[in-house]
Amino acid sequence: MDLLRSEPMQLVQLIIPIEAAHRSISYLGDLGLFQFKDLNENKSPFQQTYASQVKRCGEMTRTLRLFKEQMMKAGISPPTRSTKDSGLDLEKLEVKLKELEAELLEINANNEKLQHTYNELVEYKLVLEKVGEFFSSAQNNAVARQRELEVQPIVETSIDSPLLMEQDATCPIKHIKLGFISGLVSREKSIPFERILFRATRGNVFLKQAIVDHHVQDPLSGDKVHKNVFVIFYSGERVKSKIIKICDAFGANRYPFSDELGKQFQMMTEVSGRIAELKTTIDAGLLHRSTLLQKIGYQFESWNLLLKKEKSIYRILNMLNINVTKKCLLAEGWCPISAARQIQKVLLQATMECNSQVGTIFQVLQTKELPPTYFYTNNFTCSFQEIVDAYGIAKYQEANPGVYTIITFPFLFAVMFGDWGHGICLLLVTLYFIINEKKISSQKLGDILEMVFGGRYIIMMMALFSIYTGLIYNEFFSIPFELFGPTAYGCRDPSCRDSTTIGLIKVRDTYPFGVDPKWHGTRSELPFLNSLKMKMSILLGVSQMNLGIILSYYNAKYFGNNINIWHQFVPQMIFLNSLFGYLSLLIIVKWCTGSQADLYHVMIYMFLSPTDDLGENQLFVGQKFFQVTLLLLALIAVPWMLLPKPFLLKKQHEERHKGQSYSLLYSGEDPLESESHSIHLDHKEFEFSEIFVHQLIHTIEFVLGAVSNTASYLRLWALSLAHSELSSVFYDKVLLLAWGYNNTIVLIVGIIVFICATVGVLLVMESLSAFLHALRLHWVEFQNKFYEGDGYKFSPFSFTSLTDEDGI
Amino acid sequence: MYGFEALSFNIHGGYLEAIVRGHRSGLLTTADYNNLCQCETLDDIKMHLSATEYGPYLQNEPSPLHTTTIVEKCTLKLVDDYKHMLCQATEPLSTFLEYITYGHMIDNVVLIVTGTLHERDVQELLEKCHPLGMFDSIATLAVAQNMRELYRLVLVDTPLAPYFSECITSEDLDDMNIEIMRNTLYKAYLEDFYRFCQKLGGATAEIMSDLLAFEADRRAVNITINSYPYGHEELAVCEDIDQVRAVMEKYPPYQSIFAKLSYGESQMLDKAFYEEEVKRHCLAFEQQFHYAVFFAYMRLREQEIRNLMWISECVAQNQKSRVHDSVVFIF
């Protein structure tokens, strides 16, 4: 049985000739059965042997990231998986990437330059349009005003009219020549822009702004922003220089504008022409770029994969010790003993291919270090092993509860989830996942789906077992069926047709498999099922706990620990079985004999007054004597668990200590051997009080645990009861009620509600809760009897386990 | 005066305090600095930093690096941290956080004004400004000709406006005036910040008053040494560094600083002060439920960036023997 004990491991030293190092590591990565130890932990990253290669890989990944970013921008998605190997090595790839990067950057720079000019021209065109509009409207206004003024002289004589205006009107030619600046400013900055202009010039400017409706690409940043076209009128050179400075400060682009109509028109055509011209050039540039990116995208994944591999190889190479002569590298690590031949073969192949003069030396090291835990798992067993690992990784070579979990976990789940209708639903879902396994595993799933997919085999087993228990409980969406023949009960006379409690007699043989369908709906249904399920839970619980204790025996035997067998396993077995083993026995006897005895009473008075007569509760002859014996055994078992072990440990330690002091006498002859000997001895301090307290806690925990764990197994009954009651509520109160209305719409609504409730509450929530309870029963009640779980996992260097984060 | 901060602090400040303490544990340690000091090239520095919180900021930089890029990216990280905290902050923490940036604002104003005085390009100057001290109309500073204009045009819109009341003159801007302006502004700023912290009360007031007082003292000493006749009364009459030392040694906290220096040596004073400052900032993290951790964190990061700049500069110019001259270890 591979799964019961973890693979035997060995610590291995590899001495790899430096020219074959890269290839050897690469082959080991393909094989994925060697866990390297980091021998350079205290070195900083740039002091390591292969720092320059790591740097180069980092540089190349950066280039790849650049490509990816560019491709994202251009909307080209690289093919997700191109399995084709590009056949490049790192050097060639580096050159190629550099070339491509330079080309891409050049194209980008050119495009940017063109885009810049293009954006400027677009802005210029906007200025020409808007300012031109403004000028023409101003001119129209002015003309109109002029006309008005010409018409007005009659009114002019009135005293109210301002004197200045008169002056103005009389000498219109005298006005100063105003300069103006036009351009674009981003809309959000337009208000502070105006304010600063006003402050800087003390209001001696005229600012006119027009809103551009659509986004404008800013020539400098290339961002799309809302902008305003402005034109500022000013007088004087100093103001002009100020305004120009302010414009620069606000990133407002200025464009020349002529107030002559002819020139305006000429500029407009010129600008439009150039815009059209540039547009075609830019399009050609973009096309060129996207073909280049497509070319890159085609091979992107294979390059990415190669880089990921190379990076991980150099990461491993940096973990190795380099020899003083710089001729070979020293690696240390763990591998399964069974894989040693494979590893040696691969290493030999690597050195042969590299024409290395010496082969890699494969040397097994002796060590006291605890080896990592490694189980060969397959698709089916790995998810069950995960359940155990989630609690704690097994200590090296201790009994692995994962083996039993494969059956007990789905079974305990099914005890709580017993309904073959629901079981079939679960089975269909999980079969979908299993049949499309290959397709789905290559896809990226959501968190929840991923979890369901990962546990598909667990769910399949759970579904199969719930079909089985469902058949025993005789529930199909809470409806009983007469699958295995007719019911054993019948009416004594016709009048009992409506009554559901009394008046039934047994007319045939007992129903052959599971619960008789007649029980459903009777008034005594609940007491009957409760009694059945409660007793069943206790039987299951006691047997599973016994299994746990027996496993602790196998552990002790495997590790040669006699103290644990005699002073832990034996008293524990006696204690548990003399109380709850006896209860199980009583249950079985009661089932077999059909006795009316009250088991509570028996159990309670076994403690309170063991000498009293049992009376009508007696199940078999000599029960009283038997009980007293069991009680005494249980009472003896407690101090047996508590006392001998610490004292024996102490004695053992003292003996070992004595032995060590003797060995010093011989050590004079062979200092090397004694040194190696003393390394193997534990120099742990032996603190008796600590050991004793530890044992005390263990004992108390076990004694109390025997009671509370047995009680804990009653959750099997409780959950199962809740499940069947809930499903019968949904069936009776939703489906049958809707049926009763004789109305199609109500029926449809009822069916929909029933389906939603069944899927949402029973299939999803109930299965989750049953799953959790089954998990708890395994982790706590079962595993605390034997499982140490303080090992660490074997994590070999393997290319298949490289994640996306290692690359980009 | 201690209130019951522990009772209610976490309602608004708990999340951010946790964040800032998390950031603090990302600061480089002595071991990091030791490794950095052994770097041979800037690429080595980048490689080492890629394992720290600066990693994501530097990873996309093409390989021949420059010191400025490193400093720029590291500052970007600080700014991102700051912005994140400011987004999450509620009153009065947000105001407190804003106060932290006013110092940079003052520096930026001075930088731009000095730059324009020497006819530098505004864009170039803007690139040199500290991103934390940016405000909208900062580029407009170039337009101003004198203090009054400076105030009236630009600064009136910024939080610095109240600090300006003391230095509005119509004098033209020159180097001397600008330096005086900087220090006057700083004085007003520190005083205002101090008042604000006192108003907040509790541990914030206590710790911040210590930190701000130290900052003020440091500036005063520096001003004295740089021969500006403005400072504390006794310092004001000093004429060389040894006199400053004589004055300062009367105060126990400064005694130790000056004790490290031999007579007549003034370059190392900065480092000594920075070391003391870092120590105080680290101590600010020893207490909980106060805002001084934010201030301390920002200052520690800035010191770290100064360290990185120095190390990179030394590495780039092959002056590795001088690496330890100016690096202030934080932990």
Side-chain angles (χ1 to χ4, degrees):
Chain A
M1 184 68 131
D2 283 344
L3 265 180
L4 185 61
R5 308 248 173 229
S6 67
E7 282 296 307
M9 306 294 270
Q10 58 189 2
L11 184 65
V12 170
Q13 191 178 46
L14 304 176
I15 301 171
I16 311 171
I18 203 154
E19 60 269 21
H22 185 272
R23 192 172 291 242
S24 305
I25 302 293
S26 154
Y27 283 168
L28 285 180
D30 286 329
L31 194 62
L33 282 170
F34 198 89
Q35 177 180 352
F36 287 90
K37 265 179 149 181
D38 194 352
L39 302 174
N40 293 325
E41 261 172 317
N42 43 9
K43 275 195 192 171
S44 60
F46 52 88
Q47 284 172 325
Q48 286 167 338
T49 330
Y50 289 90
S52 62
Q53 278 89 337
V54 172
K55 239 185 276 176
R56 272 168 57 198
C57 286
E59 182 66 19
M60 281 187 262
T61 359
R62 186 196 58 77
T63 319
L64 281 191
R65 266 200 303 270
L66 177 83
F67 291 160
K68 192 169 188 181
E69 191 190 318
Q70 294 284 336
M71 282 192 280
M72 295 273 270
K73 260 193 200 162
I76 300 166
S77 60
T80 43
R81 283 270 173 270
S82 74
T83 42
K84 187 174 70 89
D85 194 28
S86 54
L88 282 171
D89 62 358
L90 206 59
E91 275 72 27
K92 277 187 202 151
L93 180 65
E94 190 175 15
V95 174
K96 185 149 193 180
L97 286 183
K98 273 218 176 99
E99 271 171 19
L100 284 172
E101 190 191 2
E103 194 179 344
L104 186 67
L105 287 183
E106 200 191 322
I107 295 177
N108 276 350
N110 281 343
N111 276 358
E112 244 161 59
K113 235 186 271 168
L114 289 174
Q115 196 71 39
H116 181 91
T117 336
Y118 177 75
N119 288 341
E120 262 182 0
L121 284 173
V122 169
E123 286 200 343
Y124 192 14
K125 196 177 165 192
L126 278 171
V127 169
L128 286 177
E129 278 170 10
K130 296 278 176 186
V131 178
E133 252 171 52
F134 169 68
F135 266 80
S136 62
S137 74
Q139 215 147 28
N140 289 345
N141 276 352
V143 171
R145 185 71 60 84
Q146 199 84 33
R147 255 184 231 137
E148 259 175 52
L149 282 177
E150 277 162 17
V151 184
Q152 262 177 1
I154 317 142
V155 202
E156 212 184 301
T157 46
S158 101
I159 308 156
D160 303 338
S161 70
L163 291 167
L164 266 177
M165 197 167 162
E166 190 181 349
Q167 212 175 18
D168 201 29
T170 46
C171 46
I173 307 112
K174 204 187 150 193
H175 67 166
I176 317 141
K177 175 74 182 162
L178 290 175
F180 65 88
I181 291 174
S182 54
L184 275 103
V185 66
S186 77
R187 192 169 300 165
E188 51 196 31
K189 280 189 190 166
S190 67
I191 305 271
F193 179 61
E194 196 172 342
R195 195 162 56 217
I196 296 280
L197 271 177
F198 185 83
R199 280 191 203 141
T201 56
R202 295 165 195 265
N204 286 327
V205 286
F206 177 73
L207 176 77
K208 174 82 187 166
Q209 298 200 45
I211 293 169
V212 181
D213 300 323
H214 45 89
H215 289 279
V216 180
Q217 253 189 346
D218 190 63
L220 270 179
S221 61
D223 298 332
K224 288 199 167 178
V225 278
H226 281 290
K227 284 199 167 189
N228 283 0
V229 173
F230 66 85
V231 52
I232 308 165
F233 295 90
Y234 60 89
S235 67
E237 276 308 301
R238 264 193 75 183
V239 180
K240 182 181 178 183
S241 71
K242 255 187 197 172
I243 292 173
I244 289 176
K245 267 188 185 169
I246 293 174
C247 285
D248 286 347
F250 275 89
N253 307 316
R254 289 173 284 116
Y255 298 95
F257 183 80
S258 160
D259 47 0
E260 284 171 44
L261 257 171
K263 253 191 187 168
Q264 268 180 44
F265 187 71
Q266 187 193 341
M267 271 174 158
M268 196 72 182
T269 44
E270 200 177 307
V271 167
S272 308
R274 279 194 61 194
I275 285 180
E277 220 170 81
L278 267 176
K279 185 83 189 146
T280 47
T281 328
I282 288 175
D283 283 347
L286 283 178
L287 192 72
H288 182 43
R289 198 177 92 124
S290 72
T291 45
L292 181 71
L293 282 176
Q294 240 146 15
K295 206 172 92 191
I296 292 171
Y298 188 63
Q299 285 182 307
F300 184 82
E301 266 313 310
S302 64
W303 291 343
N304 193 10
L305 201 70
L306 179 73
L307 258 183
K308 262 200 270 189
K309 274 190 182 178
E310 289 292 329
K311 249 165 102 181
S312 62
I313 289 174
Y314 285 117
R315 204 188 64 234
I316 294 294
L317 281 173
N318 272 333
M319 288 164 120
L320 311 186
N321 244 342
I322 190 149
N323 192 289
V324 205
T325 55
K326 304 221 166 184
K327 289 254 172 61
C328 51
L329 286 165
L330 192 87
E332 267 179 38
W334 296 100
C335 70
I337 291 178
S338 54
R341 291 190 66 117
Q342 264 175 297
I343 290 172
Q344 273 168 317
K345 204 179 107 197
V346 157
L347 288 174
L348 186 70
Q349 194 189 347
T351 41
M352 296 272 273
E353 281 173 21
C354 289
N355 296 325
S356 168
Q357 278 141 354
V358 277
T360 300
I361 298 169
F362 183 94
Q363 196 177 4
V364 179
L365 297 179
Q366 293 300 320
T367 179
K368 277 293 272 183
E369 224 180 303
L370 194 74
T373 309
Y374 177 51
F375 296 104
Y376 277 118
T377 51
N378 53 28
N379 269 350
F380 179 74
T381 51
C382 79
S383 45
F384 291 97
Q385 190 61 45
E386 290 283 311
I387 288 183
V388 176
D389 286 352
Y391 175 80
I393 308 291
K395 200 168 77 180
Y396 178 61
Q397 298 237 305
E398 84 169 312
N400 175 22
V403 188
Y404 307 95
T405 307
I406 294 173
I407 297 300
T408 54
F409 186 85
F411 179 65
L412 288 191
F413 170 86
V415 170
M416 296 179 266
F417 198 76
D419 188 311
W420 60 280
H422 297 152
I424 286 171
C425 293
L426 274 190
L427 189 65
L428 290 179
V429 171
T430 189
L431 279 181
Y432 168 78
F433 281 116
I434 290 172
I435 288 165
N436 296 317
E437 196 173 64
K438 284 225 173 77
K439 205 174 81 193
I440 296 175
S441 61
S442 63
Q443 284 171 355
K444 196 132 184 73
L445 302 165
D447 268 353
I448 294 173
L449 263 186
E450 187 109 39
M451 216 144 61
V452 174
F453 180 69
R456 60 196 181 278
Y457 287 107
I458 300 184
I459 300 176
M460 183 188 78
M461 291 298 278
M462 294 192 311
L464 288 177
F465 273 100
S466 36
I467 292 171
Y468 168 69
T469 49
L471 288 173
I472 291 180
Y473 294 161
N474 207 344
E475 283 183 22
F476 176 85
F477 297 105
S478 85
I479 316 157
F481 278 87
E482 295 190 337
L483 281 180
F484 302 100
T487 167
Y489 300 96
C491 282
R492 195 178 315 169
D493 52 67
S495 67
C496 83
R497 189 162 290 276
D498 314 326
S499 75
T500 47
T501 43
I502 40 171
L504 288 176
I505 50 159
K506 199 169 172 188
V507 291
R508 266 177 292 269
D509 285 345
T510 315
Y511 192 68
F513 185 84
V515 175
D516 196 302
K518 204 73 183 176
W519 282 105
H520 186 78
T522 57
R523 204 187 287 170
S524 52
E525 182 198 7
L526 265 187
F528 170 74
L529 284 179
N530 280 350
S531 150
L532 170 76
K533 287 177 177 173
M534 210 188 304
K535 284 170 184 155
M536 188 185 67
S537 310
I538 288 184
L539 289 184
L540 291 175
V542 170
S543 36
Q544 198 183 20
M545 285 191 289
N546 268 316
L547 175 65
I549 300 175
I550 289 169
L551 282 177
S552 84
Y553 163 74
Y554 281 108
N555 266 344
K557 198 178 157 204
Y558 188 84
F559 293 115
N561 194 338
N562 271 325
I563 297 180
N564 274 359
I565 296 180
W566 287 108
H567 305 289
Q568 197 151 311
F569 164 68
V570 175
Q572 279 183 357
M573 274 312 259
I574 292 174
F575 184 81
L576 183 70
N577 286 314
S578 60
L579 302 182
F580 295 101
Y582 175 59
L583 176 62
S584 312
L585 181 78
L586 289 184
I587 289 169
I588 293 169
V589 170
K590 190 179 166 184
W591 275 347
C592 293
T593 57
S595 151
Q596 297 278 321
D598 183 1
L599 295 187
Y600 296 117
H601 194 270
V602 176
M603 281 310 284
I604 289 169
Y605 282 89
M606 175 177 163
F607 292 98
L608 292 184
S609 49
T611 49
D612 279 7
D613 204 40
L614 285 161
E616 58 178 8
N617 286 327
Q618 180 155 345
L619 280 151
F620 54 89
V621 192
Q623 192 180 1
K624 199 175 103 185
F625 173 72
F626 191 58
Q627 277 186 7
V628 174
T629 321
L630 286 180
L631 193 63
L632 283 176
L633 277 176
L635 286 180
I636 292 166
V638 176
W640 187 0
M641 263 183 266
L642 172 66
L643 294 173
K645 195 182 163 188
F647 289 103
L648 284 172
L649 280 177
K650 191 183 176 193
K651 201 174 131 206
Q652 209 172 45
H653 179 79
E654 274 163 2
E655 264 168 24
R656 205 180 283 161
H657 214 67
K658 239 186 278 171
Q660 197 184 3
S661 63
Y662 283 142
S663 76
L664 278 174
L665 283 175
Y666 305 102
S667 67
E669 297 168 7
D670 196 348
L672 262 175
E673 197 185 320
S674 78
E675 204 181 349
S676 65
H677 203 71
S678 61
I679 292 169
H680 290 283
L681 281 174
D682 275 331
H683 287 285
K684 257 191 226 160
E685 287 285 311
F686 188 84
E687 191 79 45
F688 180 73
S689 59
E690 205 173 290
I691 300 276
F692 191 80
V693 169
H694 193 71
Q695 190 62 24
L696 185 71
I697 293 171
H698 257 284
T699 311
I700 295 174
E701 197 193 319
F702 183 82
V703 172
L704 294 184
V707 182
S708 69
N709 289 354
T710 313
S712 186
Y713 275 96
L714 291 177
R715 74 185 66 231
L716 293 175
W717 155 56
L719 268 270
S720 156
L721 175 72
H723 184 82
S724 70
E725 286 302 305
L726 262 180
S727 53
S728 74
V729 162
F730 287 136
Y731 177 72
D732 288 343
K733 300 292 172 207
V734 179
L735 204 58
L736 289 190
L737 200 72
W739 190 266
Y741 278 100
N742 266 335
N743 183 331
T744 334
I745 297 166
V746 176
L747 187 65
I748 289 170
V749 170
I751 287 175
I752 289 172
V753 171
F754 175 73
I755 289 174
C756 289
T758 305
V759 171
V761 178
L762 294 173
L763 287 180
V764 175
M765 274 161 55
E766 273 283 298
S767 70
L768 266 180
S769 89
F771 184 94
L772 283 179
H773 283 283
L775 201 62
R776 185 222 141 92
L777 286 178
H778 278 84
W779 280 356
V780 180
E781 275 74 25
F782 175 51
Q783 292 184 6
N784 78 358
K785 300 286 183 294
F786 67 101
Y787 191 55
E788 305 259 356
D790 56 353
Y792 64 100
K793 207 170 186 173
F794 178 60
S795 53
F797 167 60
S798 157
F799 289 141
T800 46
S801 62
L802 292 179
T803 50
D804 286 345
E805 287 138 49
D806 293 328
I808 290 188
Chain B
M1 46 158 243
Y2 279 86
F4 291 94
E5 299 122 337
L7 211 59
S8 58
F9 183 87
N10 280 349
I11 299 171
H12 293 297
Y15 171 66
L16 280 175
E17 191 179 356
I19 292 266
V20 82
R21 279 176 192 275
H23 283 323
R24 177 213 177 240
S25 56
L27 289 171
L28 300 180
T29 60
T30 311
D32 287 319
Y33 282 120
N34 282 339
N35 278 331
L36 283 171
C37 290
Q38 290 166 15
C39 289
E40 296 290 337
T41 62
L42 290 182
D43 278 336
D44 287 344
I45 292 185
K46 175 185 164 189
M47 194 162 155
H48 188 89
L49 288 181
S50 65
T52 66
E53 289 193 353
Y54 294 118
Y57 291 87
L58 283 168
Q59 66 173 4
N60 278 337
E61 289 311 307
S63 207
L65 277 172
H66 297 288
T67 320
T68 42
T69 334
I70 295 181
V71 174
E72 198 181 296
K73 292 294 163 186
C74 294
T75 316
L76 187 65
K77 144 100 182 123
L78 173 68
V79 174
D80 283 353
D81 288 352
Y82 174 79
K83 281 188 180 151
H84 176 74
M85 292 195 288
L86 189 65
C87 286
Q88 304 284 336
T90 51
E91 283 295 337
L93 179 55
S94 52
T95 317
F96 182 90
L97 287 175
E98 275 161 8
Y99 262 107
I100 296 176
T101 61
Y102 294 168
H104 295 293
M105 257 183 218
I106 295 172
D107 286 342
N108 284 352
V109 168
V110 170
L111 180 79
I112 301 260
V113 173
T114 325
T116 18
L117 200 66
H118 294 124
E119 318 231 310
R120 297 274 181 78
D121 181 39
V122 182
Q123 283 305 322
E124 194 184 308
L125 288 170
L126 282 178
E127 274 164 27
K128 282 188 189 158
C129 282
H130 197 286
L132 279 183
M134 288 301 222
F135 48 92
D136 273 347
S137 46
I138 190 162
T140 334
L141 285 169
V143 186
Q145 298 292 322
N146 57 36
M147 300 270 192
R148 190 177 293 279
E149 238 179 22
L150 198 64
Y151 176 70
R152 200 172 50 80
L153 268 184
V154 191
L155 294 175
V156 70
D157 288 337
T158 66
L160 297 181
Y163 309 149
F164 241 84
S165 53
E166 277 189 49
C167 53
I168 299 179
T169 53
S170 301
E171 284 174 59
D172 274 358
L173 293 166
D174 59 26
D175 282 340
M176 179 80 169
N177 277 336
I178 292 171
E179 199 56 35
I180 292 177
M181 176 184 87
R182 181 213 294 269
N183 288 308
T184 330
L185 283 178
Y186 235 101
K187 183 176 171 235
Y189 157 61
L190 287 177
E191 281 168 0
D192 187 34
F193 198 4
Y194 183 83
R195 275 194 299 276
F196 176 73
C197 293
Q198 290 302 321
K199 210 170 73 199
L200 290 177
T204 309
E206 189 197 26
I207 297 168
M208 283 308 291
S209 63
D210 180 49
L211 294 179
L212 291 174
F214 183 78
E215 167 109 18
D217 288 349
R218 184 171 66 86
R219 287 186 173 268
V221 172
N222 271 334
I223 292 165
T224 317
I225 290 168
N226 295 329
S227 79
Y228 282 105
Y230 191 86
H232 295 230
E233 281 162 30
E234 259 184 289
L235 282 172
V237 294
C238 295
E239 281 174 355
D240 62 24
I241 177 144
D242 290 339
Q243 284 182 8
V244 173
R245 174 198 291 265
V247 175
M248 294 305 286
E249 279 180 347
K250 289 179 194 161
Y251 302 99
Y254 299 104
Q255 207 175 358
S256 58
I257 294 179
F258 278 89
K260 285 182 203 156
L261 307 174
S262 54
Y263 278 86
E265 188 183 15
S266 63
Q267 283 124 318
M268 295 299 281
L269 184 66
D270 269 344
K271 191 189 173 189
F273 265 121
Y274 279 138
E275 270 170 6
E276 179 68 19
E277 197 180 349
V278 160
K279 207 171 84 192
R280 282 163 191 254
H281 285 143
C282 286
L283 283 178
F285 282 91
E286 298 297 317
Q287 283 193 49
Q288 228 188 321
F289 308 128
H290 63 87
Y291 293 155
V293 281
F294 297 97
F295 181 76
Y297 166 69
M298 298 297 286
R299 285 300 162 91
L300 287 175
R301 262 286 183 223
E302 278 163 27
Q303 180 61 43
E304 183 175 289
I305 292 167
R306 271 198 294 274
N307 287 343
L308 283 175
M309 180 156 74
W310 179 262
I311 294 174
S312 321
E313 222 29 270
C314 284
V315 168
Q317 296 178 12
N318 253 332
Q319 297 273 332
K320 280 184 67 185
S321 53
R322 298 194 54 202
V323 154
H324 285 280
D325 284 2
S326 176
V327 174
V328 182
F329 295 130
I330 293 176
F331 298 117

